Amino acid sequence: MFDAGTALLALSDHYDLTPSADKFEATRDRYARVAHAVPPEDWARHAPLILAIDALKVQRNAVILGHSYMPPEVYHGVSDIVGDSLQLALAARDVEAEVIVQAGVHFMAETSKVLNPGKTVLIPDASAGCSLAEAASLAEIEALRAAHPGAAVVCYVNTPAAIKAASDVCCTSANAVQVVEAMPGDTVIMTPDRHLAANVARETGKRVIPAGGACIVHERFAPEDLRAWREANPGATVIAHPECPPDVVDEADFAGSTAAMIGWLRARRPQSALLVTECSMAANIAAELPEVSLTRPCNLCPHMQKITLEKILACLHGMTGEVSVAPDLIAPARRAVERMIEIGRA
Ligand code: 13P
Ligand code: SF4
């Protein structure tokens, strides 16, 4: 178990981690982007870590890929490339630096390794998992393939490499409808998000056989909560992630992937919006949408929140948390992800 206090003590033998006005000043441009969400006394503690990570990134020839659900000090403080899971996967393919630090969860780090196997991929906390990735099962895929001969298996990107390798194609929430529609036949098997599968089924002409489980963050939303919020905020907009149950999506004005939600807000700039998703995302985009009043029901992903500045510094310092994928899985898993990317391009 990572003890931040002990780790900091050990790291302070190597780096100057004492808060100071100079260090705050040196990171002020980054603080400006998170000032609405991070109190200055917290940033004063983050600044020395951020500066130490800056220097180590150069030393190790590393880039940090930061998911939209990262805490603001990670997202705006140290990430070189930010985005949703599709954007980060596309970016990982093109990384030229020697080392990729995945500021996200384990399946994202595996995806980076699968797409760019020559690089050293580090995850600051290997226990940063995902309830969907845990719910994916090879036995269930096998049983469903037997029950629905000829049906393509579409796996969500939130899966271990072994599941990707056993699937015909991968998808993310940004392209799930497009990928399902591109499959031959009228039936597809979709794993491991039952809610995404149900939401996609409603938007395609296909019969979608769901498998797996649900996201512990998005399944907590309930339609009556959204209705109550609307009543209290007349005229406000509700946007939801498609990992939410279909009856929640029904209550939204727009449902889309993380990048699609951000794009929708950028384009429409409503006066106020309720973001029915993981709540770090709202904190991360608030700076560029100052005129939009964002309400975020505080559903944090416990896995994403495991990634901290201390752990990023520790993993870059010791080059620990290397993610490996069994060599025999790399090619078939990559095939599933590349097929998704090709469908997106078409
Ligand atoms: P995105 O594909 O929207 O980044 O979602 C990943 C995820 O884990 C959402 O819960
Ligand atoms: Fe997995 Fe849900 Fe966390 Fe995303 S928010 S990583 S789907 S548990």
Side-chain angles (χ1 to χ4, degrees):
M1 171 110 168
F2 187 90
D3 174 349
T6 314
L8 264 185
L9 212 57
L11 287 167
S12 57
D13 286 346
H14 304 273
Y15 308 95
D16 175 10
L17 299 180
T18 316
S20 73
D22 284 356
K23 293 187 189 99
F24 199 118
E25 216 34 57
T27 55
R28 185 169 287 286
D29 52 339
R30 287 177 261 187
Y31 182 58
R33 288 182 242 146
V34 302
H36 59 280
V38 181
E41 54 276 21
D42 288 356
W43 191 262
R45 283 185 293 102
H46 296 322
L49 290 158
I50 289 170
L51 294 172
I53 292 168
D54 285 352
L56 254 189
K57 275 199 290 193
V58 177
Q59 223 174 305
R60 304 275 193 245
N61 189 14
V63 293
I64 299 181
L65 306 187
H67 189 264
S68 305
Y69 295 177
M70 282 296 100
E73 64 276 11
V74 171
Y75 185 91
H76 287 292
V78 295
S79 299
D80 299 290
I81 299 169
V82 293
D84 69 357
S85 57
L86 178 60
Q87 290 167 323
L88 294 185
L90 293 172
R93 290 160 96 216
D94 297 333
V95 165
E96 285 178 2
E98 277 314 302
V99 178
I100 295 173
V101 178
Q102 197 82 35
V105 293
H106 197 268
F107 76 82
M108 295 176 181
E110 270 199 349
T111 305
S112 294
K113 185 70 185 174
V114 159
L115 291 174
N116 205 340
K119 304 301 177 189
T120 300
V121 179
L122 306 179
I123 184 145
D125 186 330
S127 73
C130 168
S131 63
L132 286 171
E134 277 164 30
S137 141
L138 285 174
E140 193 174 22
I141 291 178
E142 237 172 77
L144 287 172
R145 276 201 197 273
H148 304 277
V153 174
V154 178
C155 77
Y156 198 29
V157 71
N158 298 38
T159 44
I163 297 289
K164 291 186 178 77
S167 301
D168 296 287
V169 67
C170 178
C171 75
T172 76
S173 56
N175 54 29
V177 169
Q178 201 184 0
V179 168
V180 165
E181 274 174 350
M183 291 301 104
D186 57 6
T187 303
V188 299
I189 296 158
M190 211 173 162
T191 189
D193 188 344
R194 291 175 180 279
H195 296 317
L196 182 72
N199 286 319
V200 166
R202 301 192 304 177
E203 287 190 49
T204 67
K206 305 270 187 193
R207 178 174 172 227
V208 181
I209 311 294
C215 162
I216 49 170
V217 175
H218 291 94
E219 75 169 349
R220 278 172 50 198
F221 294 107
E224 45 289 5
D225 300 337
L226 274 56
R227 284 196 288 271
W229 184 83
R230 257 195 213 284
E231 246 170 65
N233 300 274
T237 301
V238 177
I239 60 176
H241 195 282
E243 286 172 14
C244 294
D247 57 355
V248 170
V249 167
D250 283 341
E251 293 294 330
D253 298 297
F254 174 74
S257 67
T258 300
M261 290 166 102
I262 296 171
W264 196 90
L265 286 171
R266 273 191 195 127
R268 312 242 176 161
R269 306 210 170 222
Q271 229 172 30
S272 68
L274 173 68
L275 294 197
V276 186
T277 186
E278 212 270 1
C279 69
S280 297
M281 184 181 116
N284 289 332
I285 60 168
E288 67 163 299
L289 299 166
E291 71 275 43
V292 185
S293 153
L294 295 171
T295 303
R296 43 192 186 124
C298 217
N299 277 9
L300 283 167
C301 172
H303 298 290
M304 294 278 187
Q305 296 304 307
K306 286 181 179 172
I307 307 301
T308 62
L309 292 173
E310 287 85 351
K311 290 181 193 173
I312 293 174
L313 181 59
C315 97
L316 265 175
H317 172 73
M319 292 296 283
T320 51
E322 182 167 356
V323 172
S324 59
V325 174
D328 59 322
L329 291 180
I330 288 192
R334 185 157 71 212
R335 210 172 301 130
V337 180
E338 294 286 357
R339 191 172 175 196
M340 163 187 83
I341 293 170
E342 271 160 38
I343 291 169
R345 265 202 220 106

